[in-house]
Amino acid sequence: MRVLVVDDDEQIRRALLINLQARSYSVGEATTGDEAIASIAATPPHLIILDLGLPGLSGIDVIHTVRRSNSVPILVLSGRTESIDKVAALDAGANDYVTKPFSIDELLARVRALTRTVDRESVEFGGVTVDLARHAVTRDGAEVRLTPTEWGVLELLVRNPDRLVGKRELLTTVWGPAYTREDAYLRLFIGQLRKKLEPEPGRPRHLLTEPGLGYRFRP
Amino acid sequence: MRTEQTDLMKSNGWRKAMGGALPLRRQVAGFAMALVLLPVVTLVLSTVRSEQSLAADALSYQLLVVLVALVGGLWPAILTAIAAAMLLDLFFVAPLFTVVVADPVHVVALVIFVVVGVLVSIVVGQADSRLRAARLLAEEVERTRPLEAADRMRTALLAAVGHDLRTPLAAATAAVGSLASDDVEWSEHDRRELVDTAEVSLARLGRLVDDLLDASRLQAGVLAVSLEPVALDEVLALVSSDVDADNAPGAQQRFDIPRDLPDMMADPVLLHRVLVNLVTNAVKHGSPSPIIEADATADTVRVRVIDHGPGIPPSRRTAVFEPFQREGDVGTGVGLGLALSRGFVEAMGGTLEPSETAGGGTTMTVTIPRAT
């Protein structure tokens, strides 16, 4: 599994390199956007960890360029904390966003989530079983009835455990490509799913909100 | 601005119904126009008067009322309407030279003159107040433009400082966090690398915090300066080892200092930081081996840090000493180095000036009083 680390700070690259290599990833490094593009073309990675504030070609530019031809997962690692920057990165096609400073364990969990391919028959969490093949959900053995839309939202989330699923991705996948700004629908359906599936709907443990960005399923 | 607007609104309360009052200047012009044109029109019309011309006479006066309303607004228009109705009656309606407003036809004419005048002046007043509102808005926009620029500047600056603080913090946190995590058995080499990462990053963070604090001290005028006789070569001995290894790898300075250079009256700590900054800057801007020269005048010692890099264009010579030259989160260094250096030198009673190196590059000259 090859990971490309793109950051202009040598110390960040060194810390990531050591950590990723210790977990048996093969690691490539780039310090500028142009280097990153060249490296991706030469040796396609399985995941890109990308800083946004790069000299020359910016991180957002890199995402746009990569996305023209490539669906490799991109994890943005940036010091920008404004949600407008995060939304811009996700809209450009990034898959997840970690803010500096970050916990190395959290970062590695996100890396695992982005590189994991889930092709399971069923997903279980907190007494709930989601049968992906039969489109059926049980909670503590009893069947839970979901509307087709609720099922669509739940399926996309549980098929991507630990991964940030952006609002736009949810809307366009479940509702259709014309729906990109209907955040209220999402809040409504996530609320209903929490009521049906979470032990404490007011304090969700599995269907988590990433404020401003989207939702994350934590098994 | 805001008070002006509220005042305008208050005084306009009752006038608003009429479409807003025109400025006094225009009202005066309207009155003047009425006073001049009423006799003129009357004179002209009476010389060409005939039995069939009454309709044309009435319309001429009406035109005058409209013109006055356009120029002067409500009150001049009403005055003109009344005067026009009377003049029409007096000079053009039989019996001539008598004012008989008792005739209902003339009352109607008078009312129509006045109503038309009022209606036109309402439209004129509304158009005028809209125009003025638009002008006020335009002025407001013009006035906030520098503020917006300052806002953008502040945002960019925050991004730069945020980036420079977060990046080393992130590297140190990641390194220490890795060492603390127990899912990996670290090799001795990796452990050393991680510790080194944390050390280098924390040192950089420390320097940045120092610089930011010093910048605020300089700005607040509370920088502590303790002057004493200082020999340049003692300070320079420390500079070489302290030139920021992170920013200026492979730095190699050459010194050209006369043996009999007199001492300077300086704060050795501040002077040391100034020289480290200047040398680091020279190296960072593409001159791996800057030269440090010194000489003395009757009452000062001059230290020159000479590089052969790309140089500073004359138009930027002032700007480079402004703090926070870098904007956004690209690259490193918020651009405090030269601003701090000049601040330190001036706090020691000296000057720091850039000039062009013969053959290209920048020469930074630190001039400090001699110790006596």
Side-chain angles (χ1 to χ4, degrees):
Chain A
M1 189 76 73
R2 181 181 160 81
V3 178
L4 176 66
V5 176
V6 190
D7 199 308
D8 59 337
D9 184 70
E10 189 192 338
Q11 305 305 326
I12 299 255
R13 287 201 312 275
R14 176 155 68 154
L16 291 179
L17 180 85
I18 294 169
N19 270 286
L20 290 166
Q21 282 178 343
R23 275 121 183 139
S24 315
Y25 294 94
S26 108
V27 184
E29 292 180 72
T31 58
T32 66
D34 299 294
E35 260 184 63
I37 300 290
S39 165
I40 292 161
T43 330
H46 299 95
L47 172 78
I48 302 170
I49 299 180
L50 179 69
D51 182 23
L52 289 186
L54 295 170
L57 200 62
S58 81
I60 299 275
D61 296 337
V62 172
I63 301 175
H64 281 300
T65 310
V66 170
R67 278 292 172 261
R68 261 182 241 144
S69 58
N70 202 325
S71 63
V72 57
I74 299 176
L75 171 59
V76 170
L77 180 62
S78 171
R80 297 184 191 173
T81 52
E82 306 278 319
S83 81
I84 187 164
D85 295 316
K86 299 183 182 179
V87 171
L90 292 182
D91 281 355
N95 302 85
D96 206 343
Y97 197 106
V98 174
T99 312
K100 292 177 187 172
F102 55 93
S103 133
I104 195 80
D105 291 335
E106 178 71 20
L107 181 84
L108 291 167
R110 304 283 180 90
V111 168
R112 282 195 301 276
L114 284 174
T115 51
R116 181 166 40 207
T117 45
V118 181
D119 208 11
R120 278 181 294 173
E121 292 279 287
S122 71
V123 177
E124 287 177 32
F125 62 95
V128 173
T129 306
V130 181
D131 188 329
L132 293 168
R134 282 201 312 119
H135 282 213
V137 180
T138 56
R139 181 176 181 179
D140 302 324
E143 180 131 351
V144 180
R145 299 182 64 85
L146 296 184
T147 67
T149 308
E150 285 170 358
W151 171 262
V153 173
L154 181 67
E155 183 181 19
L156 185 56
L157 287 173
V158 299
R159 277 192 189 278
N160 296 286
D162 284 319
R163 247 193 60 192
L164 170 69
V165 182
K167 288 190 285 198
R168 183 177 279 207
E169 184 183 348
L170 266 166
L171 284 166
T172 52
T173 310
V174 179
W175 277 269
Y179 296 79
T180 52
R181 296 278 165 225
E182 283 77 359
D183 296 2
Y185 292 10
L186 276 179
R187 279 197 295 278
L188 179 73
F189 282 93
I190 293 282
Q192 285 173 4
L193 284 172
R194 283 176 182 155
K195 260 183 228 154
K196 292 181 180 180
L197 306 177
E198 287 274 3
E200 286 180 85
R203 276 192 291 159
R205 270 183 248 161
H206 304 290
L207 304 173
L208 307 178
T209 303
E210 289 278 336
L213 303 180
Y215 298 89
R216 193 187 298 275
F217 164 64
R218 184 154 292 166
Chain B
M1 170 52 44
R2 194 147 294 162
T3 35
E4 196 179 315
Q5 250 175 350
T6 355
D7 289 347
L8 211 74
M9 274 172 199
K10 260 185 229 154
S11 69
N12 263 357
W14 64 272
R15 294 182 197 166
K16 242 205 164 115
M18 313 258 185
L22 294 178
L24 191 63
R25 193 168 35 80
R26 281 185 62 180
Q27 297 196 37
V28 169
F31 281 121
M33 186 176 166
L35 290 178
V36 172
L37 288 187
L38 278 169
V40 170
V41 168
T42 307
L43 196 67
V44 170
L45 290 180
S46 55
T47 56
V48 296
R49 177 167 40 147
S50 70
E51 283 305 310
Q52 291 77 35
S53 66
L54 183 61
D57 298 336
L59 284 173
S60 302
Y61 278 113
Q62 186 66 80
L63 177 65
L64 181 59
V65 172
V66 170
L67 287 176
V68 171
L70 283 175
V71 172
L74 187 63
W75 298 113
I78 289 176
L79 173 95
T80 312
I82 294 170
M86 305 218 335
L87 289 169
L88 187 68
D89 189 62
L90 200 58
F91 292 104
F92 302 97
V93 181
L96 294 183
F97 311 115
T98 56
V99 183
V100 190
V101 279
D103 187 333
V105 175
H106 301 149
V107 175
V108 169
L110 174 70
V111 169
I112 289 176
F113 273 28
V114 172
V115 167
V116 170
V118 168
L119 287 178
V120 171
S121 43
I122 286 174
V123 173
V124 170
Q126 279 173 344
D128 183 71
S129 58
R130 269 190 215 125
L131 186 69
R132 270 185 294 164
R135 266 199 212 123
L136 278 177
L137 193 66
E139 275 170 29
E140 186 89 350
V141 168
E142 206 54 46
R143 220 165 303 203
T144 51
R145 196 156 290 162
L147 289 179
E148 274 169 23
D151 262 2
R152 265 199 305 280
M153 172 80 194
R154 201 167 304 143
T155 310
L157 172 59
L158 272 176
V161 175
H163 171 267
D164 282 16
L165 287 170
R166 276 206 187 89
T167 302
L169 187 62
T173 309
V176 172
S178 318
L179 289 169
S181 79
D182 41 17
D183 64 325
V184 176
E185 195 65 47
W186 296 108
S187 71
E188 190 47 40
H189 172 261
D190 283 352
R191 185 182 305 278
R192 262 205 318 273
E193 284 275 294
L194 288 169
V195 170
D196 191 50
T197 297
E199 261 188 333
V200 170
S201 303
L202 289 173
R204 199 209 297 170
L205 196 58
R207 279 195 301 276
L208 180 63
V209 171
D210 279 349
D211 282 357
L212 286 171
L213 286 176
D214 282 335
S216 354
R217 284 192 193 107
L218 274 173
Q219 205 157 28
V222 294
L223 183 79
V225 182
S226 74
L227 298 177
E228 56 184 82
V230 175
L232 180 62
D233 46 8
E234 280 173 35
V235 176
L236 283 180
L238 293 172
V239 168
S240 334
S241 58
D242 282 357
V243 166
D244 186 353
D246 202 29
N247 279 321
Q252 193 75 51
Q253 304 90 56
R254 283 183 290 145
F255 301 138
D256 186 0
I257 315 292
R259 285 189 183 284
D260 56 349
L261 188 77
D263 284 357
M264 324 175 232
M265 207 55 189
D267 181 317
V269 178
L270 294 183
L271 182 61
H272 168 247
R273 287 188 55 194
V274 168
L275 294 174
V276 169
N277 268 337
L278 293 179
V279 172
T280 306
N281 237 9
V283 175
K284 229 163 64 173
H285 291 103
S287 191
S289 354
I291 303 164
I292 301 174
E293 273 181 11
D295 64 5
T297 65
D299 45 8
T300 61
V301 171
R302 289 183 301 198
V303 185
R304 281 182 291 274
V305 178
I306 303 164
D307 72 46
H308 291 95
I312 307 167
S315 59
R316 295 259 315 144
R317 291 235 169 101
T318 318
V320 290
F321 289 100
E322 300 288 327
F324 304 116
Q325 278 305 294
R326 210 187 92 246
E327 293 181 3
D329 59 358
V330 175
T332 50
V334 280
L336 278 174
L338 282 176
L340 280 179
S341 299
R342 179 173 265 182
F344 289 164
V345 173
E346 285 173 356
M348 293 186 283
T351 58
L352 170 57
E353 291 299 336
S355 55
E356 203 181 321
T357 307
T362 306
T363 297
M364 289 283 179
T365 306
V366 179
T367 308
I368 291 210
R370 276 169 74 151
T372 44

